Amino acid sequence: MGAGHTHALYVHEHSPIHRLPPQVKIAAAVLFVFSVAVTPREAIWAFAGYAVAIAALSRISRVGLHFLLIRLVGVVPFIAFAFLIPFIASGQQVEVLGISVSQEGLQAAWNIIAKATIGASTSILLAGTTEIPDILAGMARLKVPVVFTSIAGFMIRYLGLIVDEIGRMRVAMTARGYDPRWLWQAKPIAQSAGAMFIRSYERGERVHDAMVARGYRGEMPELRRREPTVREWLLGAMLPLFGISVMVAAMVTT
Amino acid sequence: MSPALEVRGLRFTYPDGRLALGGIELTVEEGQRVAVLGPNGAGKTTLALHLNGILRGSGSITVDGLELNDDNLDEIRRRVGLVFQDANDQLFMPTVAEDVAFGPANLGLAGAELEERVAAALRQVNAADLARRPPHHLSGGEKRSAAIATALAMEPQMLVLDEPTSGLDPLGRRELVETLQALDMTLLIITHDLPFALELCERSVIVDGGEVVATGATPDILANDALLRRHRLEMPFGFRKDNA
Amino acid sequence: MHAPDGFLNAGTAVATGAISIGTIGVALRQVQDTIKDKQVPLAGIAAAFIFAAQMFNFPVAAGTTGHLLGGALAAILLGPHMGAIVVTIVVVVQALMFADGGLTALGYNVLNMAIVPAYGGYAVFRLFRRVVPQTSGGVVAATGLAGLVSVVLSAAAFSIQWLFGATAPVTFAEVFTAMVGVHFLIGIGEGVVSALAVGAVLAARPDLVHGASDLDPSQISQQHRVPIRTFLIGGLLAALFLAAVVSQFAADDPDGLESVAIATGIDESGEDHALGGSIFADYATEGLENESASLAIAGITGTLIVLAVGWGLFAAVREKKPTASANA
């Protein structure tokens, strides 16, 4: 929990997906995952279709299925929980390999596993084909408030620096024999976090000075990006359209 | 022809009451390169922050005939480019190109004109290949070049640099010297690196205790051991007369 | 707790999404009023700090480690609105750029990991500050308790969402017990680390702690004497309350909660349930007593969460604007 991965997922390639404007990709990804999330779990064929689409995209984008599968590790804890569900859930019991499990629970577990995996794969493909500054620009184009994307931009920029500094503090503490095992020994760590906050704040003030020195008057300048062409929107729309049609078909036939 | 920079009676006190600058008198002619020397805590960085209007003290600061006041800060900031001691404070955008574009974009540039300005600034520091890189991934020397580019992109008349050689390896230092030599503008360089000052700047001033305590041609200043020692300065080993 | 897609149903995803967007919209407008242009780089770097702080682990017991959630800490250091915004940005960026948490799960992930801990934690902080001495030690103690409760509230919020949007036949009672129980332990770590961190900031730069902005310099000492008693009593009360609540699920005859259930009009014998038939019709529970008890617990918890977050939000909105800082 909370220990997010900060290894950038971007894979440097030249593919039609990489070239698509970021707002197109973000919109397509969100719409597609929504249609996946709403697809009735009984329509197993639908999820097979989604999986094929994901596999195809990983090929077209040159990100590769291997890369995708490795990065899917993040979903494992929830998959593990999902596996537990048939055993702890209530409802009509059914025999699987000699063990009595909840039938409803099995369906629920399948539901979570399928949707979580497809959803995470979509996220990985999005991050894998879009550089971080572009994702920020895409968010801005999709009407996310500039304050929000500006703060996010600064966060991204200084995250690495702060992580490095914390790392150095930790090394210094370890070098002086600090090896905490229990919560009451965590005081130095917590205090170093406090010191880190102060250092970060003071850096923030210096950054603000540097911004002012280059003419900043309170509003981030609009760094224009190229508008997507109609063709690019259509290309991007293919994925969500596929998702929506499969979803509708699944709903209708279930 | 008015001087590039004229500072008269500049005084500044920190919020906690300490006197930082006690009346700075400084004139820099156009095209001059002046080194600002002095011990730590002398007020050199504080002085630099005044030249761009980030800090406001009493006294007057005139840049190429324009006296700094509340109404012309934008123009002053265009004329005086500041390169900070820690390049990380100055590179705050997700990519170098966006950082270099930040200044001119605030000046109102956009589109192709903005792109050309960015490209030109990066060319001046030989860093065209850094454009799409995130600042976090750059080496110390690359960050320094990128930081200088962010200031150059505003097409300033004068560049103020605060400890530009700190953290650079010897070749990085050499590249910096070459970059600065090629610039055709007034330079004010705060530095502890005395040979660097000697190589680049024909004139030097010593700031100590918030005042200018000495000014003159760099070779003369650096030859004056007593003067240097009084202000916690010293030529490095191998450069001194007594061990040449 | 970065839930993936499909964990809760679409209705819950949309509803929590709307709540999150609405709340953050309010928060953004609130900080716009007081936002001096400094706030953007500072908020960004604060966000980076929270993100980084979440990554690094602290020891809990016998070498096992825990991680910070950071919502209460952010609210106390930066103010509740900025705290909520900052942690929201962390969660959103984690989803979009690091594939951590589902894109359709952002609604409840933001609500549970940013909004509830920040505003709820802040509400608890303010509440406890009324009771503790008006010193930096008091601020530290209040922070500790706020940190603990913020994590529990977060887990409780997720459980409430499970009640409405569960996709699996695991009862609210089971989820609530497990989530809240485990997170109470995690919350102890969060509380301790948050308190010590705020203490460190108070010692060097008290002006950077929004939650202590009402203290004058004489009340801030270098060495805080944290009123241990307050800390312990507060923690014990919280633990007792929790134990009482959780134990009701296990009890065969939960009288107190029964009467609450009956009083609130929840029919324990029929199929007409306050929340509608399908959830409980499909997902049978261990016994009818537990069903009404579940509903009662859910009702009480939900009310508490809404009260905490709402009060945190409105208290923050009503706060005096901080005095303008020295210079640009």
Side-chain angles (χ1 to χ4, degrees), chain A residues 46-167:
Chain A
F47 293 97
Y50 294 143
V52 167
I54 294 287
L57 278 175
S58 64
R59 238 16 248 295
I60 300 173
S61 66
R62 304 225 235 198
V63 160
L65 210 51
H66 181 69
F67 173 87
L68 188 62
L69 290 172
I70 291 188
R71 294 296 174 287
L72 277 172
V73 157
V75 214
V76 165
F78 296 95
I79 308 265
F81 169 71
F83 268 115
L84 229 59
I85 291 177
F87 300 99
I88 63 176
S90 50
Q92 200 181 351
Q93 300 286 301
V94 95
E95 280 270 324
V96 171
L97 298 175
I99 310 172
S100 172
V101 294
S102 157
Q103 179 167 21
E104 179 85 23
L106 278 176
Q107 291 177 324
W110 152 254
N111 184 51
I112 292 179
I113 292 174
K115 292 179 180 173
T117 311
I118 306 279
S121 303
T122 312
S123 298
I124 292 169
L125 283 174
L126 172 64
T129 58
T130 320
E131 284 183 287
I132 285 175
D134 292 328
I135 295 186
L136 287 172
M139 284 165 72
R141 299 302 282 159
L142 291 171
K143 299 295 177 223
V144 175
V146 171
V147 175
F148 211 83
T149 52
S150 314
I151 294 178
F154 284 104
M155 179 185 84
I156 301 285
R157 162 59 182 107
Y158 288 102
L159 180 61
L161 214 58
I162 292 181
V163 167
D164 286 350
E165 277 189 61
I166 294 180

Side-chain angles (χ1 to χ4, degrees), chain C residues 122 125-126 129-130 133-135 139 206 209-217 219-220 319-320:
Chain C
Y122 189 69
F125 173 76
R126 288 276 297 255
R129 280 226 43 214
R130 289 188 184 179
Q134 294 305 298
T135 62
V139 170
V209 181
H210 178 275
S213 54
D214 59 323
L215 293 181
D216 59 64
Q219 294 163 311
I220 299 174
E319 259 174 10
K320 279 194 311 235

Side-chain angles (χ1 to χ4, degrees), chain A residues 1 183 186 190, chain C residues 1 58-61 65-73 76 117 121 124 128 140-156 178-196 231 234-236 238-239 242:
Chain A
M1 180 192 107
L183 184 59
Chain C
M1 269 203 301
F58 54 87
V60 175
T65 59
H67 291 275
L68 211 63
L69 189 58
L73 181 65
I76 292 166
V124 171
F128 276 108
V140 171
T143 303
L145 289 161
L148 165 61
V149 176
S150 71
V151 172
V152 174
L153 283 176
S154 174
M179 285 290 283
V180 170
V182 167
H183 282 83
F184 185 84
L185 294 170
I186 294 175
I188 295 177
E190 173 103 6
V192 169
V193 173
S194 302
L196 292 170
F231 205 93
L236 237 114
L242 207 65

Side-chain angles (χ1 to χ4, degrees), chain C residues 17-277:
Chain C
I19 296 174
S20 294
I21 291 178
T23 314
I24 294 300
V26 168
L28 277 172
R29 241 163 307 152
Q30 286 298 309
V31 295
Q32 294 283 27
D33 292 346
T34 56
I35 204 171
K36 286 160 250 110
D37 44 7
K38 248 195 223 207
Q39 298 267 30
V40 169
L42 282 174
I45 290 183
F49 166 75
I50 296 288
F51 198 139
Q54 285 184 347
M55 288 169 63
F56 283 91
N57 45 23
F58 54 87
V60 175
T64 54
T65 59
H67 291 275
L68 211 63
L69 189 58
L73 181 65
I76 292 166
L77 287 173
L78 304 168
H81 298 304
M82 195 50 93
I85 291 170
V86 155
V87 186
T88 297
I89 291 179
V90 171
V91 174
V92 169
V93 164
Q94 283 169 338
L96 272 174
M97 299 182 195
F98 301 106
D100 198 2
L103 290 174
T104 60
L106 269 175
Y108 41 97
N109 279 338
V110 164
L111 187 58
N112 297 339
M113 292 194 282
I115 294 176
V116 165
Y119 286 113
Y122 189 69
V124 171
F125 173 76
R126 288 276 297 255
L127 204 69
F128 276 108
R129 280 226 43 214
R130 289 188 184 179
V131 184
V132 296
Q134 294 305 298
T135 62
S136 46
V139 170
V140 171
T143 303
L145 289 161
L148 165 61
V149 176
S150 71
V151 172
V152 174
L153 283 176
S154 174
F158 177 81
S159 309
I160 302 275
Q161 287 149 17
W162 182 267
L163 181 63
F164 288 95
T167 55
V170 182
T171 65
F172 164 76
E174 289 169 309
V175 171
F176 185 88
T177 314
M179 285 290 283
V180 170
V182 167
H183 282 83
F184 185 84
L185 294 170
I186 294 175
I188 295 177
E190 173 103 6
V192 169
V193 173
S194 302
L196 292 170
V198 168
V201 179
L202 272 174
R205 287 285 304 261
D207 56 309
L208 297 190
V209 181
H210 178 275
S213 54
D214 59 323
L215 293 181
D216 59 64
S218 65
Q219 294 163 311
I220 299 174
S221 56
Q222 286 293 96
Q223 291 277 68
H224 323 290
R225 298 241 7 243
V226 176
I228 304 285
R229 242 178 314 138
T230 320
F231 205 93
L232 284 177
I233 291 175
L236 237 114
L237 281 173
L240 282 172
F241 176 75
L242 207 65
V245 161
V246 170
S247 69
Q248 292 297 336
F249 283 118
D252 283 328
D253 199 14
D255 295 310
L257 291 162
E258 277 280 272
S259 39
V260 171
I262 293 169
T264 52
I266 299 166
D267 185 355
E268 67 163 34
S269 55
E271 293 204 334
D272 259 305
H273 294 284
L275 288 164

